[in-house]
Amino acid sequence: MENVSTIEQPTSQPCKDDRVEAARARVNEANAALQAAEEELRNIPKVKMAAEEKRNRALRQFHEALATLAAL
């Protein structure tokens, strides 16, 4: 998806309508939220890999503890 830069008030014709300013602010906030969500989506593979490594470590520890218990 294409990044959209923030919408700024035109310098040649200042906008005096509060509704337009409020709408412009909502667009900027929504765009920032969209960019943050896209960044999170790009990070999913990294998070998934870290979670898999954590699971594998826990599984190894479980098997070691189970083997120790079985040996007693």
Side-chain angles (χ1 to χ4, degrees):
M1 171 150 207
E2 222 176 273
N3 285 339
V4 179
S5 61
T6 58
I7 298 174
E8 297 176 5
Q9 183 174 345
T11 55
S12 60
Q13 296 179 332
C15 180
K16 296 178 182 177
D17 188 349
D18 291 340
R19 292 177 301 165
V20 172
E21 286 300 318
R24 191 175 278 136
R26 285 192 307 272
V27 167
N28 289 336
E29 288 171 11
N31 183 49
L34 176 61
Q35 289 178 357
E38 287 174 344
E39 181 63 26
E40 284 182 36
L41 285 172
R42 283 190 290 275
N43 288 330
I44 284 176
K46 296 174 193 171
V47 171
K48 183 179 178 185
M49 189 171 12
E52 287 174 348
E53 289 173 3
K54 187 176 179 180
R55 181 194 65 195
N56 290 340
R57 256 191 322 274
L59 188 57
R60 271 193 310 277
Q61 290 173 345
F62 173 76
H63 283 282
E64 290 169 1
L66 192 57
T68 302
L69 179 61
L72 296 178

